[in-house]
Amino acid sequence: MNIIEKAISLRDASGRTEPARHDPAGRRRKTRSPGSAPGTLNKEPAHFGRLREIGMLPDPETDQQLIEQLRHLKRPILHNSFGPLAEGVANVVMVTSARPGAGKSFVSSGLAFTLTRERELSVVLVDLDNIKATLTRGLELRDRTGFFDAADDESVPLESTLIDTEIPGLRIVPTGRQTQDSAELLNSERAKQLIRRLSDDDPGRIIILDTPPLLSTPDAHAILDLAHQIIIVVEAGVTKQSELKQIVESLRGNKPVGLVLNKSVGGLSSMYGGDYYAGPYEAS
């Protein structure tokens, strides 16, 4: 069995996500006072290759099989976003899992890197896991202005959260400050506006949302409405069928849903992974 395999399932084979619509002017929620000041403005680029050094990104020279499997995974994503049947904007991809430790951050970063190989395509990788912030910590961006700063304070512009990397066409949005009301912020109209801006500003852009596990926190459920496509990372031998059934039943609408098998015998489990709440850089 492949380490990563495509299992795209549609509730309605012809169902497509409706294009996101901007709310009328004046409906933005009032500015909230953040619990702490936003982090450092994001002028210095992030070193994305550092994720490879800590085991969260495959090496193109030594992990060719993984790279090929990620290329296989990106095809349905591109088809759903820009294919002949795509209607409106469908370029926001949510990557999640049922429980901690499945390897969703590894899949998110690997997919973002692989998508940048496409010509005339840009990628924004957004860390929305305010609890763990695996990507943000792995890239050493904890002190940078991030998504939750902008979601909590309308005076923080979206542009201030985008961080360039050494990879052309790839930018990062870190989590920003840690907050106790991350689920409420993700449910806010301000958060929806930020994702819409990322989605609509560049027609040749893919947005990858690295989100918490669906069955561990309420945060991921708040993100479901923001995404056009959903990828569920399944941990081989650990994720239960009952958990997958619970997740599928909770999904709303006719959004494409992909299942990614991770940590199969002889595969990712021998090199990557780890417990979601243990250790500093495990691929949660």
mmCIF file of all heavy atoms in Angstrom, residues 19-42:
data_model
loop_
_atom_site.group_PDB
_atom_site.id
_atom_site.type_symbol
_atom_site.label_atom_id
_atom_site.label_comp_id
_atom_site.label_asym_id
_atom_site.label_seq_id
_atom_site.Cartn_x
_atom_site.Cartn_y
_atom_site.Cartn_z
ATOM 1 N N PRO A 19 -19.045 29.898 -4.948
ATOM 2 C CA PRO A 19 -18.010 30.911 -4.758
ATOM 3 C C PRO A 19 -18.275 31.737 -3.515
ATOM 4 O O PRO A 19 -19.419 32.040 -3.194
ATOM 5 C CB PRO A 19 -18.095 31.766 -6.041
ATOM 6 C CG PRO A 19 -19.458 31.498 -6.597
ATOM 7 C CD PRO A 19 -19.796 30.104 -6.209
ATOM 8 N N ALA A 20 -17.174 32.076 -2.815
ATOM 9 C CA ALA A 20 -17.321 32.898 -1.614
ATOM 10 C C ALA A 20 -17.776 34.286 -2.000
ATOM 11 O O ALA A 20 -17.362 34.842 -3.014
ATOM 12 C CB ALA A 20 -15.980 32.965 -0.887
ATOM 13 N N ARG A 21 -18.602 34.849 -1.168
ATOM 14 C CA ARG A 21 -19.128 36.196 -1.436
ATOM 15 C C ARG A 21 -18.716 37.144 -0.324
ATOM 16 O O ARG A 21 -18.780 36.812 0.852
ATOM 17 C CB ARG A 21 -20.655 36.158 -1.534
ATOM 18 C CG ARG A 21 -21.183 35.326 -2.693
ATOM 19 C CD ARG A 21 -22.692 35.437 -2.749
ATOM 20 N NE ARG A 21 -23.232 34.735 -3.901
ATOM 21 C CZ ARG A 21 -23.551 33.465 -3.896
ATOM 22 N NH1 ARG A 21 -23.357 32.743 -2.814
ATOM 23 N NH2 ARG A 21 -24.059 32.889 -4.970
ATOM 24 N N HIS A 22 -18.317 38.318 -0.720
ATOM 25 C CA HIS A 22 -17.970 39.336 0.263
ATOM 26 C C HIS A 22 -19.245 39.888 0.905
ATOM 27 O O HIS A 22 -20.270 40.070 0.249
ATOM 28 C CB HIS A 22 -17.211 40.492 -0.401
ATOM 29 C CG HIS A 22 -15.845 40.088 -0.845
ATOM 30 N ND1 HIS A 22 -14.810 39.894 0.029
ATOM 31 C CD2 HIS A 22 -15.353 39.832 -2.080
ATOM 32 C CE1 HIS A 22 -13.734 39.560 -0.639
ATOM 33 N NE2 HIS A 22 -14.039 39.509 -1.923
ATOM 34 N N ASP A 23 -19.154 40.184 2.194
ATOM 35 C CA ASP A 23 -20.276 40.797 2.870
ATOM 36 C C ASP A 23 -20.294 42.284 2.547
ATOM 37 O O ASP A 23 -19.265 42.884 2.240
ATOM 38 C CB ASP A 23 -20.151 40.616 4.389
ATOM 39 C CG ASP A 23 -20.484 39.192 4.785
ATOM 40 O OD1 ASP A 23 -21.155 38.512 4.002
ATOM 41 O OD2 ASP A 23 -20.071 38.791 5.878
ATOM 42 N N PRO A 24 -21.461 42.890 2.580
ATOM 43 C CA PRO A 24 -21.548 44.322 2.307
ATOM 44 C C PRO A 24 -20.663 45.122 3.247
ATOM 45 O O PRO A 24 -20.411 44.723 4.374
ATOM 46 C CB PRO A 24 -23.039 44.638 2.538
ATOM 47 C CG PRO A 24 -23.740 43.324 2.390
ATOM 48 C CD PRO A 24 -22.778 42.296 2.871
ATOM 49 N N ALA A 25 -20.218 46.268 2.777
ATOM 50 C CA ALA A 25 -19.379 47.127 3.614
ATOM 51 C C ALA A 25 -20.137 47.534 4.864
ATOM 52 O O ALA A 25 -21.338 47.736 4.867
ATOM 53 C CB ALA A 25 -18.957 48.368 2.821
ATOM 54 N N GLY A 26 -19.397 47.630 5.944
ATOM 55 C CA GLY A 26 -20.009 48.073 7.187
ATOM 56 C C GLY A 26 -20.452 46.949 8.089
ATOM 57 O O GLY A 26 -20.881 47.192 9.211
ATOM 58 N N ARG A 27 -20.313 45.689 7.636
ATOM 59 C CA ARG A 27 -20.736 44.574 8.464
ATOM 60 C C ARG A 27 -19.569 43.933 9.213
ATOM 61 O O ARG A 27 -19.717 42.925 9.871
ATOM 62 C CB ARG A 27 -21.424 43.511 7.604
ATOM 63 C CG ARG A 27 -22.746 43.968 7.039
ATOM 64 C CD ARG A 27 -23.402 42.873 6.270
ATOM 65 N NE ARG A 27 -23.643 41.701 7.109
ATOM 66 C CZ ARG A 27 -24.139 40.567 6.644
ATOM 67 N NH1 ARG A 27 -24.411 40.434 5.365
ATOM 68 N NH2 ARG A 27 -24.333 39.546 7.443
ATOM 69 N N ARG A 28 -18.397 44.501 9.085
ATOM 70 C CA ARG A 28 -17.244 43.977 9.790
ATOM 71 C C ARG A 28 -17.429 44.176 11.285
ATOM 72 O O ARG A 28 -17.916 45.195 11.746
ATOM 73 C CB ARG A 28 -15.975 44.682 9.332
ATOM 74 C CG ARG A 28 -15.665 44.473 7.862
ATOM 75 C CD ARG A 28 -14.497 45.289 7.423
ATOM 76 N NE ARG A 28 -13.281 44.876 8.086
ATOM 77 C CZ ARG A 28 -12.111 45.465 7.910
ATOM 78 N NH1 ARG A 28 -12.021 46.502 7.095
ATOM 79 N NH2 ARG A 28 -11.048 45.045 8.532
ATOM 80 N N ARG A 29 -16.997 43.169 12.051
ATOM 81 C CA ARG A 29 -17.197 43.286 13.497
ATOM 82 C C ARG A 29 -16.268 44.359 14.056
ATOM 83 O O ARG A 29 -15.250 44.694 13.472
ATOM 84 C CB ARG A 29 -16.915 41.939 14.182
ATOM 85 C CG ARG A 29 -15.464 41.526 14.191
ATOM 86 C CD ARG A 29 -15.329 40.114 14.723
ATOM 87 N NE ARG A 29 -13.919 39.751 14.845
ATOM 88 C CZ ARG A 29 -13.209 39.913 15.935
ATOM 89 N NH1 ARG A 29 -13.764 40.456 17.001
ATOM 90 N NH2 ARG A 29 -11.941 39.541 15.968
ATOM 91 N N LYS A 30 -16.602 44.889 15.201
ATOM 92 C CA LYS A 30 -15.811 45.930 15.811
ATOM 93 C C LYS A 30 -14.467 45.381 16.268
ATOM 94 O O LYS A 30 -14.337 44.223 16.631
ATOM 95 C CB LYS A 30 -16.563 46.515 17.015
ATOM 96 C CG LYS A 30 -17.867 47.208 16.625
ATOM 97 C CD LYS A 30 -18.552 47.767 17.846
ATOM 98 C CE LYS A 30 -19.854 48.478 17.463
ATOM 99 N NZ LYS A 30 -20.539 49.022 18.657
ATOM 100 N N THR A 31 -13.465 46.265 16.266
ATOM 101 C CA THR A 31 -12.130 45.874 16.681
ATOM 102 C C THR A 31 -12.123 45.435 18.128
ATOM 103 O O THR A 31 -12.685 46.097 18.992
ATOM 104 C CB THR A 31 -11.155 47.064 16.505
ATOM 105 O OG1 THR A 31 -11.179 47.460 15.140
ATOM 106 C CG2 THR A 31 -9.748 46.665 16.910
ATOM 107 N N ARG A 32 -11.453 44.309 18.392
ATOM 108 C CA ARG A 32 -11.308 43.835 19.748
ATOM 109 C C ARG A 32 -9.907 44.134 20.221
ATOM 110 O O ARG A 32 -8.949 44.076 19.454
ATOM 111 C CB ARG A 32 -11.549 42.321 19.818
ATOM 112 C CG ARG A 32 -12.923 41.918 19.397
ATOM 113 C CD ARG A 32 -13.073 40.429 19.464
ATOM 114 N NE ARG A 32 -12.736 39.942 20.806
ATOM 115 C CZ ARG A 32 -12.666 38.653 21.103
ATOM 116 N NH1 ARG A 32 -12.867 37.757 20.185
ATOM 117 N NH2 ARG A 32 -12.378 38.271 22.330
ATOM 118 N N SER A 33 -9.767 44.429 21.485
ATOM 119 C CA SER A 33 -8.438 44.693 22.027
ATOM 120 C C SER A 33 -7.720 43.377 22.247
ATOM 121 O O SER A 33 -8.197 42.528 23.000
ATOM 122 C CB SER A 33 -8.548 45.452 23.366
ATOM 123 O OG SER A 33 -9.193 46.686 23.171
ATOM 124 N N PRO A 34 -6.589 43.138 21.607
ATOM 125 C CA PRO A 34 -5.873 41.876 21.769
ATOM 126 C C PRO A 34 -5.297 41.746 23.164
ATOM 127 O O PRO A 34 -5.004 42.731 23.832
ATOM 128 C CB PRO A 34 -4.762 41.964 20.710
ATOM 129 C CG PRO A 34 -4.549 43.427 20.518
ATOM 130 C CD PRO A 34 -5.912 44.063 20.699
ATOM 131 N N GLY A 35 -5.122 40.507 23.592
ATOM 132 C CA GLY A 35 -4.580 40.255 24.920
ATOM 133 C C GLY A 35 -3.123 40.673 25.015
ATOM 134 O O GLY A 35 -2.614 40.944 26.085
ATOM 135 N N SER A 36 -2.432 40.677 23.906
ATOM 136 C CA SER A 36 -1.050 41.126 23.873
ATOM 137 C C SER A 36 -0.798 41.759 22.508
ATOM 138 O O SER A 36 -1.521 41.509 21.565
ATOM 139 C CB SER A 36 -0.089 39.952 24.100
ATOM 140 O OG SER A 36 -0.283 38.973 23.111
ATOM 141 N N ALA A 37 0.227 42.567 22.442
ATOM 142 C CA ALA A 37 0.509 43.263 21.189
ATOM 143 C C ALA A 37 0.931 42.280 20.120
ATOM 144 O O ALA A 37 1.526 41.246 20.398
ATOM 145 C CB ALA A 37 1.626 44.287 21.428
ATOM 146 N N PRO A 38 0.601 42.552 18.849
ATOM 147 C CA PRO A 38 1.035 41.681 17.756
ATOM 148 C C PRO A 38 2.545 41.550 17.734
ATOM 149 O O PRO A 38 3.280 42.400 18.225
ATOM 150 C CB PRO A 38 0.518 42.400 16.509
ATOM 151 C CG PRO A 38 -0.619 43.238 16.994
ATOM 152 C CD PRO A 38 -0.236 43.660 18.374
ATOM 153 N N GLY A 39 3.029 40.478 17.126
ATOM 154 C CA GLY A 39 4.457 40.209 17.096
ATOM 155 C C GLY A 39 5.196 41.095 16.114
ATOM 156 O O GLY A 39 4.659 42.049 15.555
ATOM 157 N N THR A 40 6.437 40.756 15.897
ATOM 158 C CA THR A 40 7.285 41.518 15.002
ATOM 159 C C THR A 40 6.733 41.498 13.583
ATOM 160 O O THR A 40 6.265 40.477 13.112
ATOM 161 C CB THR A 40 8.701 40.916 14.999
ATOM 162 O OG1 THR A 40 9.171 40.841 16.341
ATOM 163 C CG2 THR A 40 9.651 41.757 14.179
ATOM 164 N N LEU A 41 6.760 42.636 12.905
ATOM 165 C CA LEU A 41 6.302 42.678 11.516
ATOM 166 C C LEU A 41 7.156 41.738 10.672
ATOM 167 O O LEU A 41 8.353 41.582 10.891
ATOM 168 C CB LEU A 41 6.372 44.113 10.987
ATOM 169 C CG LEU A 41 5.338 45.075 11.580
ATOM 170 C CD1 LEU A 41 5.534 46.463 10.987
ATOM 171 C CD2 LEU A 41 3.931 44.591 11.328
ATOM 172 N N ASN A 42 6.523 41.134 9.688
ATOM 173 C CA ASN A 42 7.141 40.031 8.968
ATOM 174 C C ASN A 42 7.987 40.486 7.788
ATOM 175 O O ASN A 42 7.647 40.244 6.638
ATOM 176 C CB ASN A 42 6.051 39.059 8.512
ATOM 177 C CG ASN A 42 5.239 38.546 9.682
ATOM 178 O OD1 ASN A 42 5.751 38.431 10.780
ATOM 179 N ND2 ASN A 42 3.986 38.226 9.438
#
